[in-house]
Amino acid sequence: CTTEESGEHVIAGCGELHVEICLKDLRDEYAQCEFTVSDPVVSYRETVQETSNQTCLAKSPNKHNRIYLTAEPMPDELSSAIEDGKAGPKADPKERA
């Protein structure tokens, strides 16, 4: 937790679920009052420098679906589209295709 100049308290966590649990504990057990929570800010710190030499396998829980992946650097155009909101999970699926 840090306190910003604006009087906001910033809570950092290992992921969205971790932060949700921390906020629930803070609300229910420690602060015992309601407070306002803004949208999370996520910092991405990892990158791929070159195409990987390993193929990774992921299976669905029922083991009927498999996907094989190799990592490679993301094109600058895709990075810009994600930052502009044109690509990503909230983008229009018709535009992504």
Side-chain angles (χ1 to χ4, degrees):
C1 269
T2 61
T3 304
E4 299 292 316
E5 291 177 8
S6 63
E8 294 179 322
H9 294 277
V10 178
I11 298 175
C14 298
E16 189 174 348
L17 180 61
H18 182 235
V19 172
E20 285 179 22
I21 292 169
C22 290
L23 290 172
K24 182 184 179 310
D25 289 346
L26 180 62
R27 182 178 287 120
D28 297 344
E29 296 180 24
Y30 300 105
Q32 297 178 349
C33 66
E34 288 299 314
F35 46 81
T36 305
V37 179
S38 64
D39 289 335
V41 176
V42 180
S43 299
Y44 295 99
R45 302 282 186 210
E46 296 181 17
T47 188
V48 176
Q49 297 290 331
E50 58 188 41
T51 302
S52 67
N53 58 3
Q54 288 184 318
T55 300
C56 298
L57 167 66
K59 296 181 186 177
S60 63
N62 65 6
K63 309 277 192 277
H64 288 260
N65 304 297
R66 295 178 181 195
I67 186 168
Y68 295 90
L69 302 167
T70 53
E72 61 183 45
M74 187 168 52
D76 291 335
E77 297 82 25
L78 179 57
S79 177
S80 297
I82 291 170
E83 290 174 2
D84 295 340
K86 296 176 184 174
K90 295 181 181 178
D92 184 12
K94 293 178 182 177
E95 292 180 12
R96 287 188 291 178

